[in-house]
Amino acid sequence: MVEPLPKTSGVRRSTLARFVSGYGQEIVIFCAILILFALVSLINPRFLGANNLTTIFSGNAYIAVAAIGMSMIIITGHIDVSVGALIGVLATISGTLAVAGYPVWVAWLAPVLVGMCINAVVGVLVAYGRIPSIVVTLGMLSILRGGLVSVTGGAWINDLPPEFLLAQQRLLGVPAPVVAMIVLTALAALWMRYTATGRSIYAIGGNAEAARAAGINIERRTVLVFMIHGAFAGLATILFATQLKIIQSTVPPNLELTVITAAVIGGVSILGGTGTVVGATLAAILFSAIGSALIFINVSAYWLRAVIGLLILTTVLIDMARRTNETRSAKR
């Protein structure tokens, strides 16, 4: 789903119909969030308290930002299972620089640049080495995770300077992570929809050979997408590492699965070629809302994984059914 395009069957569809057709998954997730808020607030009105709403929308902002880059990777037809380890390494680098006395802008910029460099290596191996992305990123996962523990011994980074804690700041009364999530999602969505480079990643994920025949340099574009993904991992790291006054120098558990899940449930096809970053951001908010809702209705938080697993299976089955219908329609 690059964007809703008009049909040429002679039947002129309305603007609303095209919008619903093109953003069906995003609309479903948005409605699910509204329904969840309404139902839980009826059971426990404190669910709509200002503090809880701030936690819901800002607590998973770093996951939403990481899911933006992951969505681009999956749309291109690849996968990255090392993003959790990458964020762990980048957080340690950023915190170490901040404690060492470097200007905060250096500590914020470093994870973005390092993330791009590391993922450039991954992209080159995938694009020019012809190695499946799952294999390359599994190897990178082991390198980053092992290297992080070996270098730091799992020690925590303490005494972070107050000016480093960007995620605790507010802009015009809105938590900085929420502002960052909205702005980055909007910029990425516009880039993917209105630029030739952004639209080309859909072509690569949909049919690589057709994209190559159309003149798209698949290898160069794949490396670029991995580098952009690394940049978004770096931005997510800033929001993750600046939430508290300490950083634990370990890899956040299951973070890569959460990021991939947000992209898939947000409507990005695991087979590539379709999806939007808006859906991924809404899915990240939905995860946070479900986790909070379970607490407010006195249900064990362990059920969160079960609920998300059910959402994954449902989304994948719907996507496969949709593709089957499209294939049958194309053969008619």
Side-chain angles (χ1 to χ4, degrees):
M1 175 181 60
V2 179
E3 61 180 276
L5 294 173
K7 297 287 186 182
T8 57
S9 60
V11 180
R12 186 180 181 83
R13 299 193 304 168
S14 68
T15 301
L16 178 60
R18 293 201 303 272
F19 181 83
V20 172
S21 174
Y23 295 95
Q25 184 73 9
E26 292 81 354
I27 293 173
V28 169
I29 297 175
F30 182 72
C31 292
I33 293 173
L34 293 180
I35 293 171
L36 180 69
F37 272 67
L39 293 178
V40 178
S41 63
L42 289 176
I43 300 173
N44 191 336
R46 289 186 301 162
F47 183 74
L48 294 182
N51 289 335
N52 190 52
L53 291 179
T54 299
T55 301
I56 290 175
F57 286 100
S58 65
N60 270 15
Y62 72 95
I63 292 176
V65 173
I68 293 173
M70 182 62 73
S71 298
M72 297 179 185
I73 291 291
I74 298 176
I75 290 171
T76 314
H78 299 289
I79 192 78
D80 178 10
V81 298
S82 66
V83 66
L86 179 60
I87 290 177
V89 169
L90 297 179
T92 300
I93 293 173
S94 182
T96 301
L97 291 173
V99 171
Y102 286 89
V104 290
W105 68 267
V106 174
W108 291 341
L109 182 62
V112 177
L113 298 179
V114 175
M116 293 178 68
C117 292
I118 291 176
N119 269 21
V121 174
V122 174
V124 168
L125 292 174
V126 171
Y128 293 99
R130 308 294 184 188
I131 306 173
S133 56
I134 182 71
V135 176
V136 176
T137 54
L138 272 174
M140 185 59 73
L141 168 67
S142 297
I143 293 171
L144 295 175
R145 179 175 291 174
L148 180 61
V149 175
S150 299
V151 172
T152 67
W156 291 21
I157 301 174
N158 300 296
D159 301 324
L160 293 166
E163 61 271 21
F164 173 72
L165 304 177
L166 179 64
Q168 297 185 8
Q169 305 299 317
R170 286 177 177 267
L171 299 175
L172 302 176
V174 181
V178 177
V179 175
M181 176 179 66
I182 294 173
V183 171
L184 292 173
T185 300
L187 291 176
L190 292 172
W191 178 75
M192 294 175 70
R193 179 175 176 128
Y194 292 109
T195 68
T197 303
R199 293 174 66 87
S200 70
I201 69 175
Y202 287 98
I204 295 173
N207 189 325
E209 293 308 315
R212 189 186 300 279
I216 298 174
N217 188 321
I218 295 178
E219 289 78 13
R220 189 179 301 171
R221 204 59 53 85
T222 299
V223 174
L224 173 64
V225 172
F226 269 96
M227 291 180 68
I228 293 174
H229 172 47
F232 275 101
L235 293 169
T237 296
I238 297 171
L239 301 180
F240 170 73
T242 60
Q243 295 181 108
L244 304 172
K245 295 181 179 179
I246 58 172
I247 298 174
Q248 189 173 2
S249 300
T250 56
V251 175
N254 300 319
L255 180 55
E256 58 277 350
L257 293 179
T258 304
V259 173
I260 293 172
T261 301
V264 172
I265 292 180
V268 176
S269 172
I270 199 67
L271 301 177
T274 62
T276 68
V277 297
V278 175
T281 296
L282 289 174
I285 295 173
L286 178 63
F287 294 171
S288 185
I290 292 174
S292 179
L294 293 177
I295 295 173
F296 274 81
I297 60 177
N298 296 320
V299 175
S300 172
Y302 291 113
W303 280 102
L304 176 61
R305 284 290 159 195
V307 173
I308 291 177
L310 182 61
L311 290 174
I312 293 174
L313 291 176
T314 303
T315 303
V316 171
L317 289 174
I318 292 174
D319 180 56
M320 293 180 66
R322 180 180 60 79
R323 284 182 175 260
T324 301
N325 289 333
E326 289 178 352
T327 302
R328 289 175 178 171
S329 299
K331 291 180 178 178
R332 290 173 184 170

